[in-house]
């Protein structure tokens, strides 16, 4: 059976090709309105707090190493299965697990933030770095050194003390605070907590229109 769509048009609409006129009117209207596109990369976008960009492994300022304790929660929760961790534990009683390698295949990541949310020590974060362009595929397969380097770069450009930077995705929502591990109980600015969270249209109402 053949189904053919026949738009209903009056005689005048057919003679004057109403759709073409409508299209031209729309083009003319847009010609004089403010552009909504951006000339990237010359013009950089305004990145909001909590943007889910390149991953970073937080460097512990006391040890100079990653804060990761090798619990594997991030690798288990990751829906893309793009986190690989290798660790070992020394035989001495009371010794901590040592992370030998931590890798993220960023091209497979869907930026859900689950790894960040589930980490009990706030060791893995999504930074506000959004530029991934590369001619070398291997550079998008983040090694532990690259992830630590990402944190160093991110911490260096923060406009507030690193300790005060609390990415909203670090704190699982809807759970009683006393059930969360201590690092998850860091104070969160009201605009990032529960009902008062300011995102989308609410964010624009608070901060005005974005620069384009
Ligand atoms: S953001 Fe989501 S997909 Fe990406 S590594 Fe973390 S858990 Fe996996
Ligand atoms: S959840 Fe955190 S501490 Fe556990 S393995 Fe992942 S990054 Fe390391």
């Amino acid at each position: 059976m053949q189904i053919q769509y026949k738009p209903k048009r009056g005689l005048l609409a057919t003679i004057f090709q109403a759709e073409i006129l409508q299209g031209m009117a729309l083009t003319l209207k847009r010609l004089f309105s403010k552009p909504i596109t951006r000339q990237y990369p010359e013009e950089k976008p305004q990145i909001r707090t909590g943007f889910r960009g390149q991953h970073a492994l937080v460097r512990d300022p006391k040890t100079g190493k990653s804060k990761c304790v090798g619990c594997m929660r991030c690798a288990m929760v990751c829906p893309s299965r793009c986190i690989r961790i290798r660790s070992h534990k020394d035989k001495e009683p009371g010794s901590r697990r040592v992370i030998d390698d931590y890798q993220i295949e960023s091209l497979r990541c869907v930026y859900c933030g689950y790894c960040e949310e589930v980490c009990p020590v706030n060791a893995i974060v999504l930074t506000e770095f959004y530029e991934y362009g590369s001619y070398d595929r291997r550079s998008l397969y983040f090694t532990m050194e690259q992830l630590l380097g990402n944190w160093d770069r991110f911490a260096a450009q923060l406009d507030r003390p690193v300790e005060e930077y609390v990415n909203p995705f670090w704190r699982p929502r809807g759970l009683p605070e006393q059930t969360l591990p201590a690092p998850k109980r860091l104070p969160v600015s009201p605009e990032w907590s529960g009902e008062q969270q300011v995102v989308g249209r609410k964010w624009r109402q608070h901060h005005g229109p974005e620069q384009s």
Side-chain angles (χ1 to χ4, degrees):
M1 186 175 66
Q2 192 183 3
I3 299 172
Q4 194 173 0
Y5 171 67
K6 286 187 182 169
K8 286 184 184 168
R9 280 204 305 197
L11 183 63
L12 281 177
T14 308
I15 292 170
F16 292 107
Q17 296 289 311
E19 291 84 358
I20 294 179
L21 292 176
Q22 278 170 357
M24 286 172 73
L26 186 65
T27 307
L28 207 62
K29 193 173 147 198
R30 289 279 170 237
L31 204 61
F32 298 104
S33 56
K34 196 169 173 249
I36 56 169
T37 50
R38 180 181 294 114
Q39 295 300 313
Y40 181 82
E42 285 79 23
E43 290 175 49
K44 305 283 183 191
Q46 183 189 3
I47 298 301
R48 300 176 191 175
T49 306
F51 180 85
R52 303 183 204 179
Q54 288 190 22
H55 298 77
L57 270 177
V58 178
R59 196 186 288 279
D60 187 342
K62 292 185 198 129
T63 62
K65 294 181 183 165
S66 158
K67 282 184 170 183
C68 178
V69 293
C71 68
M72 300 297 286
R73 288 182 197 185
C74 55
M76 283 190 284
V77 81
C78 176
S80 308
R81 296 282 180 265
C82 60
I83 302 179
R84 290 184 189 84
I85 305 168
R86 215 159 28 82
S87 65
H88 73 273
K89 199 166 180 197
D90 292 332
K91 292 218 170 73
E92 290 85 57
S95 63
R96 288 183 60 178
R97 186 162 286 281
V98 180
I99 311 302
D100 300 315
D101 202 9
Y102 190 110
Q103 296 180 353
I104 296 183
E105 197 178 342
S106 68
L107 291 177
R108 283 175 55 197
C109 173
V110 294
Y111 299 91
C112 60
Y114 286 172
C115 50
E116 188 171 26
E117 190 172 307
V118 81
C119 179
V121 291
N122 288 343
I124 181 79
V125 295
L126 292 168
T127 67
E128 292 163 20
F129 296 140
Y130 58 89
E131 290 181 310
Y132 279 81
S134 172
Y135 290 109
D136 179 11
R137 191 181 174 87
R138 280 169 304 176
S139 68
L140 299 169
Y141 200 103
F142 294 139
T143 61
M144 192 151 86
E145 288 68 36
Q146 280 171 294
L147 290 165
L148 284 165
N150 275 356
W151 175 253
D152 294 338
R153 271 198 305 144
F154 185 57
Q157 59 129 59
L158 274 178
D159 56 0
R160 66 207 109 145
V162 168
E163 310 78 56
E164 281 179 25
Y165 177 78
V166 179
N167 190 309
F169 301 104
W170 286 3
R171 179 193 282 246
R173 299 199 185 95
L175 294 175
E177 192 167 298
Q178 63 272 22
T179 63
L180 301 175
K184 296 283 187 201
R185 287 185 240 138
L186 293 171
V188 178
S189 136
E191 66 174 335
W192 286 111
S193 57
E195 288 301 305
Q196 294 180 53
Q197 187 170 347
V198 181
V199 293
R201 190 182 301 161
K202 272 204 227 167
W203 192 93
R204 285 191 290 278
Q205 281 164 0
H206 275 69
H207 297 84
E210 272 184 277
Q211 302 291 315
S212 55

